[in-house]
Structure formats: structure tokens, C-alpha cells
Amino acid sequence: ASSHRSSSPSSSIHHARREGELRDEQCAAPAAKPAEGCSGMRSARLSDASEHARQWATLETWLERALVADASAKATEAATAWAAQAASQERERTQAEIASIRAAFTAIKQLQAAKARAAAEARAAVEARAAAEVEAANKEVRAVANKEQADIVLERAREAMCEPPLSDRAMALLRKAERMSPSAEVRKVICEWTTICEVYVNRDDPRALFGLGAVATEDELNTARRRLALRVHPDINSCSFADDAFKIVQAAFLELKAALSSQAAPRPQDQHAQHAQH
């Protein structure tokens, strides 16, 4: 059966059946001979033919069964291969879907993290801006409060400047007001008042008033006087004591100029000695 399976099985079966029929016909051909001599042989041959036919029928049955089993095995093998291929494709598709789902989850997590970072940055920016606004408001409040306190200290300094004699108390109050409110307006007032206080403090010492040393020329005196007069002039200095301070500066200038002129002029004793030598 295995030898005939390589070619077409049905043709092999029919070929074998045909050979058996031909042998049976050959065995039945001498029927024309006398019956008495061939009757036993003929009956034997007929029994052999029937036996051959039965054997061939059995062989055909087994061959058909083998063919059916072989076809069933091939079909089973093909079905198994197809099922394996389908399962592999389904597994690959499932893995691809799982990978896409994981990628989607990862993208969602990244998006959520980015949103959280953006919200945190926006919240931090809002908090920083609010803190800056609060700090600016506090600075304005402190500036207003300090200016009010500085105005009070300036009034106290003005009162101290009127006290006879002038002392360092007015200068200390002016420095305190400058520390409390360092605005341009307050600094200007403090600068003007400080100049007036310096004039009043040094009014008995012209050299210290003009910032000159023990040895000075008239040119240096004129320069120092011009600079100080511009600072204390009533048209420039807004202090109420600017007029008196300007008068003090003028008097000190005249006094120091007379002293320098007397030092530069020759004394009578020196002139008499020079004439005696000649």
C-alpha cells in the first residue's frame, strides 16, 4: 500500500483488480475440455478466484482507509499549521495592541506631568508676582511712613537749629532723617540744611568755614567764597535761615580777606629797617 501511495492510489487499485480478473479468466478458459477431467481443477480455480477477489476487496478497503487516514492527517496537519499561524498572528496583533496601549498610557502620563509642571510654574509665577506686589506695597507704605517720620525729624532739626547756641543735635537729627527717608526731595532739603548748620557752627572760624588751611591766598579765598555763597544764597537754598547764613559768609569773607591783606602788606618796622640798610 505504501509503494502505490507515491503514484495515484485509485489507478493502482484498478490495475491490481484488472490483473486479478485476467488471471481468473485464464483459469476459467479450459472449460471446453471434458468436464470429468477438469471438474475438480475448475472448482479449485473458482475457489482461488473468489479468494483472490476477497483478498483484493480487503486490500481495497485497507487502501481506502489508509488514504482517508493520510488525508485526515494532512488535513489535521494543515489545520494545525493554520491554527498556529492564526494564533501567531493573533499574538502579534495582541502584542502590537498592548504596545500601542502602553505608548498611549505613557503619552498620557507625560501629558499629565507636563500639565502638572505648567500648573506648578504658573502657580509659582503668580505667587512670585503676588509676593513682589506685596513687597512693593510694603515698600510704599514704609516709604510713606518713613517720609512722615522724616518730616517730623526735620521739624525737630529746624527747632534745634534755632536753639542758642547751635550744637551737633541738629546735625544728628538731619542724618537720622536722611536714613529714614532717602528720597531726592529729602536729600535736597537735608543737603541745604546741613550747609546752613555748617555755616552756623563755623561762623567764628572763617578758615574752617571756607575750608582753607593756615596758609591761603586770596584766589583760593575767592573760589571758596563763591562756592559757599552759591550753596547758601536765599534764591537757591530753601532754608529759612539761608539769608542769615549768607550774611555770615559775607562777613567771614571780608574778615579773612582783610587778614590776608594785612599779612601781605609790609609792616612799618620792616620799611624803616630797609631804609636804614640803604
Side-chain angles (χ1 to χ4, degrees):
S2 61
S3 63
H4 290 288
R5 195 177 300 170
S6 59
S7 61
S8 67
S10 58
S11 62
S12 300
I13 292 172
H14 289 297
H15 183 70
R17 183 184 294 178
R18 183 60 180 167
E19 289 180 353
E21 290 176 353
L22 291 175
R23 281 196 300 269
D24 292 339
E25 290 177 357
Q26 290 176 1
C27 292
K33 294 180 179 181
E36 58 274 8
C38 298
S39 59
M41 185 179 296
R42 185 177 180 180
S43 61
R45 289 179 178 177
L46 290 174
S47 62
D48 291 338
S50 61
E51 181 66 20
H52 279 293
R54 187 180 63 79
Q55 291 178 355
W56 281 112
T58 303
L59 180 61
E60 288 181 359
T61 302
W62 282 105
L63 285 173
E64 290 177 355
R65 289 180 181 179
L67 291 174
V68 170
D70 184 48
S72 177
K74 289 183 177 179
T76 303
E77 183 180 357
T80 304
W82 179 85
Q85 184 179 2
S88 176
Q89 293 177 355
E90 184 67 20
R91 185 166 53 253
E92 292 177 356
R93 183 167 58 253
T94 304
Q95 291 177 355
E97 291 178 356
I98 291 174
S100 64
I101 292 172
R102 288 178 178 175
F105 275 118
T106 302
I108 291 172
K109 288 182 179 179
Q110 292 177 354
L111 180 61
Q112 290 177 350
K115 288 183 177 179
R117 287 195 301 270
E121 291 177 356
R123 186 167 54 253
V126 170
E127 291 177 355
R129 185 166 58 253
E133 291 177 356
V134 170
E135 182 64 22
N138 291 334
K139 284 184 178 179
E140 291 180 0
V141 172
R142 287 195 297 268
V144 171
N146 290 339
K147 189 175 184 305
E148 293 177 355
Q149 295 179 2
D151 292 340
I152 295 173
V153 174
L154 286 174
E155 292 297 331
R156 291 173 58 188
R158 174 175 289 184
E159 294 176 358
M161 289 175 66
C162 297
E163 295 176 358
L166 290 174
S167 62
D168 293 338
R169 180 170 173 268
M171 291 292 296
L173 291 172
L174 290 173
R175 297 301 181 190
K176 182 178 179 181
E178 184 179 11
R179 289 193 301 271
M180 293 174 64
S181 179
S183 62
E185 180 182 0
V186 173
R187 286 179 179 175
K188 179 177 179 297
V189 174
I190 289 173
C191 183
E192 294 175 352
W193 285 16
T194 302
T195 303
I196 299 300
C197 288
E198 291 176 354
V199 170
Y200 272 90
V201 169
N202 297 317
R203 59 184 172 182
D204 295 333
D205 188 357
R207 292 183 179 274
L209 178 62
F210 292 109
L212 300 176
V215 178
T217 62
E218 290 188 6
D219 292 337
E220 294 175 348
L221 176 61
N222 291 330
T223 302
R225 179 256 178 190
R226 188 181 303 107
R227 183 172 58 249
L228 185 58
L230 289 175
R231 293 171 60 188
V232 300
H233 196 277
D235 295 338
I236 298 175
N237 197 314
S238 61
C239 180
S240 57
F241 300 97
D243 193 8
D244 295 338
F246 186 75
K247 292 178 181 179
I248 292 173
V249 170
Q250 288 295 106
F253 170 71
L254 295 175
E255 180 182 353
L256 189 56
K257 184 177 181 180
L260 293 177
S261 298
S262 63
Q263 290 178 2
R267 293 180 298 177
Q269 296 83 356
D270 296 336
Q271 293 179 358
H272 182 70
Q274 290 178 1
H275 288 299
Q277 290 178 2
H278 289 295

